[in-house]
Amino acid sequence: MIAALPFLVLRILSVLAAVWLAVLGFQRLRAGSARGVGWLFGSLFGFAFTVLSYFAEKTPRERFAPFKLRDEIVGFSALFTGVIFLLAVLAALLPVILDVLERRGFSSYVGARHVRATKSGFLTVISVLSMAGVAVSSCALCSVTSIMGGFGADLKRKILGNNAHIVVDVTQPGGFPDWEDKLDGIRLAVAPKGGAATPVVAGDAMGSSASNTAGALVRGIDTNTIAQVIDLKQNIEVGNFDWLDDPDKLADLPPDTIIGRGAGGEPYFKGPDLRASADLDPAVKAALRKDVKVLPGVIIGKELAKSLHVLVGDEITLLSPMGELGPMGVMPRTRRFRVAAIFYSGMYEYDATHAYVKLDVAQSFFSMGDNISQIDVRVPDPERVAEVTPLVEAAAAKFDMGEGKEPLRVRDWVEMNKNLFSALKLEKIATFIILSIAIAVASFCIVCTLLLMVTEKGKEIAILKALGASDGAIMRIFMLEGVIIGGIGTVFGVGTAFAACSGLARFGVRLDPEVYYIDRLPVNVNGSDYAMVAVAALIICTIATLYPARAASRLSPVDGLRYE
C-alpha cells in the first residue's frame, strides 16, 4: 500500500491537470482561439495516461513472467501518453510564466514581450527552432546519463550482492588457522555499525559431468551465516538452499520438483521415478535404491550448469589441483557432488564460474585442515564502507599470526573494484562533456535569433535609448530574451527526459536475457544529474547571449533612427 502511494498521488495530480487543461481549452474555444483544441487534446492524453498507467502498474514483472505483447503495448502507451501530456501541461504553463516575468520590471517586461511576439513570422520560427535545439540536446544528455547510470547502478548492485563488502584474508596460500577467535573479533568490531561476517574457503577446481567440463571457483560457506553477507539465497533459481545441509533429499526428489528452466523460463520437472513404480520387482527396486549414493550438495551458477549440461539432482565431479603426492607426482583430488540448487546472480562472470559447498566439505576437498581462506564482511550501507574499514583493520591488527607469518590483510569493495568503477566514472564524465557540446551547438541558434532580433528591432532600440534607457538595460533585455529561450528549451528537454526515463524505470523495457543477460533495461533517474544538466544548459545559453546583447547595447540612437 505504501509503495503504491506515490503513483496514486501522481494519478490524482494527472487528473487535476487534465481537468485544468480541459477547462482552459473550452475557455479558449469560446474566445474564438484555435489553440483551445490543443489544450483539449492534451487533456485527453492526461486521462488516457491515468487509465493506461493503472493497467501498466498491474502488469507482473517477475523474473519468469511470460512475455505478453498486450502488456508491452499498454506499458509503452502509458509512457507515450504521459510524455505528451507533460508537454501539453508545460506549454499551458508557459504563458503564465511569461505573464509573471512581464510584471517584474522594465527589462523583463520588454524581453518577455519580444519572446512571445508573433508579428515577425520568421523570427518566431527561428526562436522555436532554438528552443527545440536546446530541448533535444538536454533531453538526449539526460536520457543517456540515466541509462548509463542505470547500467552502472545495476552492475554495482550485482557486484555488491554477490561479493563481500570487506574481505579479511592473507596473501600466502593455505589460509590461516584459529579463525573462530578472529571471526568473533571482527563481528564484535562491525556489530555497532550493523555489519555481519562469515568464514569462507575459496579455491579453484575443474568441474566435469557426463558430457562436458568447465573451470569453477569453489567457495566453502557457512550455511547459517552466508545469507547475512551475500545474496546467494535470494538468487536461487531452482532447487533449494537447505538441501546443502540435507543432501539425503537430493537422492530421492519428488516427481513435481522443478530441476531446471528453459530459455523462456519454462520449468523442467523431475518426473516419475522408475524406482518408485508399483510394477517393479521389490528386489530390483531395492537394488536401484541401493545404487544411489548420498553425495554432498553443491550450488552452481546458471551458466556453469549450462556448460556442464546438468540439472538439480545430477552428479558432477570436482577436481582440485591441490592433491596428494603419489608415485607419479602430485595427484589431483577428485570428489563427486550432487547439484542441490542453481543460482542466477545476473553477472555472467559469477554464474559461469562460482560453485558453493559446505565449509567443512571445502576444507577437506582443498586439504586445508581447519584453516579458512578469508572472512567476508557485509555492511548495511556500502557507500559508507570507509567508516567501517578502519574498525576491521584495528580488529585484525590485534591477532597474532605467529612468527614469520604476514598479518591479516583488509580490503574493501572500493579498493578491489577501483579500476572498474573509475572507468565507469570516466566514461560518464566524457559522455557528459561530449553531449554538452550538442547543447553548445544548439545555443548557436540563440545567437542567430538574437542577432536577427537586434537587426529587426534597431528602431525600437534607438527609441528606447532616446527615451533614457541605458546600455545596461538594453543588454539585460536581450540577455533575458536568450535566457528565456534557453530556459524554455531546457525545461521542455529535461522534463521530457524525466518523464520518459521515469516511465522506462517504472514500466520497464523487456530485453532478451539470453543476449543481454538482463531481463529489463536498467534506468537510474538521478535528480542531481538532471539538475546538473539543467544548470549546464542555462549557463551555455547565457554565455551565448553575451555577444548579441552587447551588440544591441552599443547601437547608437542616431544610427537606428537615421532613415526613419
Side-chain angles (χ1 to χ4, degrees):
M1 182 64 184
I2 296 177
L5 183 59
F7 211 67
L8 176 62
V9 172
L10 176 61
R11 283 198 288 267
I12 293 174
L13 293 177
S14 300
V15 171
L16 295 177
V19 172
W20 174 63
L21 284 179
V23 172
L24 186 63
F26 283 119
Q27 289 178 349
R28 293 295 179 91
L29 287 177
R30 288 180 180 178
S33 174
R35 196 174 295 179
V37 178
W39 303 144
L40 290 178
F41 272 109
S43 177
L44 291 177
F45 276 106
F47 289 118
F49 166 72
T50 305
V51 175
L52 290 171
S53 62
Y54 174 78
F55 288 105
E57 190 71 9
K58 299 297 182 181
T59 303
R61 292 179 180 81
E62 291 79 12
R63 182 187 298 174
F64 304 117
F67 175 82
K68 293 182 179 179
L69 182 60
R70 180 182 63 84
D71 294 338
E72 299 302 314
I73 292 176
V74 170
F76 277 104
S77 299
L79 175 62
F80 175 75
T81 54
V83 171
I84 299 299
F85 175 57
L86 176 64
L87 294 177
V89 172
L90 292 177
L93 288 174
L94 186 57
V96 179
I97 297 174
L98 292 177
D99 290 339
V100 173
L101 287 175
E102 289 181 5
R103 291 193 291 267
R104 291 185 59 86
F106 169 71
S107 299
S108 60
Y109 173 79
V110 178
R113 295 296 295 180
H114 278 179
V115 171
R116 73 195 311 174
T118 58
K119 183 179 295 185
S120 177
F122 180 72
L123 275 179
T124 302
V125 172
I126 295 296
S127 300
V128 171
L129 290 177
S130 302
M131 298 176 190
V134 176
V136 171
S137 302
S138 57
C139 179
L141 180 52
C142 289
S143 302
V144 171
T145 303
S146 292
I147 294 176
M148 289 186 61
F151 277 102
D154 184 70
L155 178 63
K156 181 185 290 187
R157 178 184 60 81
K158 291 174 180 177
I159 289 177
L160 296 179
N162 294 279
N163 290 279
H165 300 164
I166 302 174
V167 174
V168 182
D169 60 359
V170 290
T171 56
Q172 67 267 18
F176 55 90
D178 303 326
W179 55 269
E180 292 89 350
D181 295 336
K182 300 177 178 61
L183 179 62
D184 292 338
I186 291 174
R187 283 175 175 169
L188 187 63
V190 300
K193 297 292 185 179
T198 185
V200 174
V201 173
D204 294 325
M206 177 66 72
S208 64
S209 64
S211 58
N212 205 1
T213 60
L217 174 61
V218 181
R219 297 172 67 88
I221 57 174
D222 179 12
T223 55
N224 296 320
T225 58
I226 189 64
Q228 302 172 8
V229 178
I230 62 175
D231 299 335
L232 179 60
K233 266 192 174 182
Q234 297 92 311
N235 293 335
I236 296 296
E237 187 176 82
V238 290
N240 195 321
F241 181 84
D242 296 333
W243 290 343
L244 209 60
D245 287 322
D246 193 5
D248 293 340
K249 294 183 178 179
L250 288 171
D252 191 16
L253 294 175
D256 58 348
T257 303
I258 299 177
I259 60 174
R261 290 189 179 274
E266 61 276 8
Y268 297 154
F269 296 96
K270 183 179 182 299
D273 192 347
L274 293 176
R275 296 171 299 173
S277 176
D279 300 332
L280 199 63
D281 186 82
V284 177
K285 188 186 300 186
L288 290 175
R289 287 186 178 276
K290 191 175 181 180
D291 288 341
V292 178
K293 296 181 179 179
V294 176
L295 302 175
V298 60
I299 300 176
I300 62 177
K302 180 179 179 179
E303 296 301 322
L304 182 58
K306 284 184 179 180
S307 299
L308 298 177
H309 306 128
V310 294
L311 302 171
V312 173
D314 291 344
E315 294 183 15
I316 65 171
T317 301
L318 293 181
L319 183 146
S320 169
M322 306 299 294
E324 298 177 352
L325 184 63
M328 303 297 293
V330 177
M331 301 298 293
R333 182 188 299 272
T334 62
R335 188 163 184 179
R336 294 165 63 193
F337 293 83
R338 197 176 298 277
V339 179
I342 299 174
F343 71 89
Y344 173 73
S345 67
M347 285 285 290
Y348 181 86
E349 291 77 9
Y350 300 145
D351 293 347
T353 57
H354 279 49
Y356 296 90
V357 298
K358 290 190 67 176
L359 186 67
D360 55 344
V361 175
Q363 288 174 329
S364 172
F365 181 64
F366 291 113
S367 304
M368 294 186 65
D370 292 331
N371 294 2
I372 64 170
S373 303
Q374 62 194 50
I375 296 175
D376 288 354
V377 181
R378 185 169 194 166
V379 297
D381 187 2
E383 300 299 333
R384 303 178 64 179
V385 70
E387 300 177 5
V388 185
T389 303
L391 301 177
V392 178
E393 291 175 344
K398 297 178 181 178
F399 301 115
D400 184 13
M401 301 299 295
E403 185 178 354
K405 294 186 177 180
E406 297 182 2
L408 292 175
R409 178 178 59 174
V410 179
R411 296 173 297 163
D412 57 31
W413 69 270
V414 178
E415 179 183 353
M416 291 185 289
N417 300 279
K418 183 178 180 180
N419 293 335
L420 173 62
F421 290 109
S422 296
L424 291 175
K425 186 175 181 180
L426 179 61
E427 183 181 15
K428 187 175 181 180
I429 294 174
T431 304
F432 184 89
I433 294 174
I434 292 172
L435 291 179
S436 295
I437 296 176
I439 300 178
V441 173
S443 68
F444 295 159
C445 294
I446 298 178
V447 176
C448 298
T449 301
L450 294 181
L451 288 175
L452 289 173
M453 193 169 292
V454 169
T455 303
E456 185 173 302
K457 303 292 184 181
K459 182 177 66 174
E460 287 80 356
I461 296 172
I463 293 174
L464 289 175
K465 281 197 166 187
L467 292 174
S470 63
D471 291 349
I474 300 299
M475 189 170 183
R476 284 194 297 272
I477 290 173
F478 283 90
M479 284 188 65
L480 184 61
E481 285 185 45
V483 170
I484 292 174
I485 293 174
I488 293 172
T490 301
V491 169
F492 273 79
V494 174
T496 302
F498 181 79
C501 293
S502 298
L504 290 175
R506 192 84 184 196
F507 306 130
V509 177
R510 291 288 292 263
L511 299 176
D512 187 359
E514 297 296 324
V515 177
Y516 303 100
Y517 217 70
I518 49 176
D519 56 349
R520 290 188 179 273
L521 179 70
V523 180
N524 182 31
V525 181
N526 192 335
S528 60
D529 291 339
Y530 281 64
M532 188 182 302
V533 172
V535 171
L538 289 175
I539 291 175
I540 292 174
C541 293
T542 302
I543 294 174
T545 63
L546 293 177
Y547 174 73
R550 181 171 175 78
S553 65
R554 298 178 65 181
L555 183 64
S556 172
V558 175
D559 294 335
L561 297 173
R562 175 173 297 172
Y563 302 105
E564 298 298 330

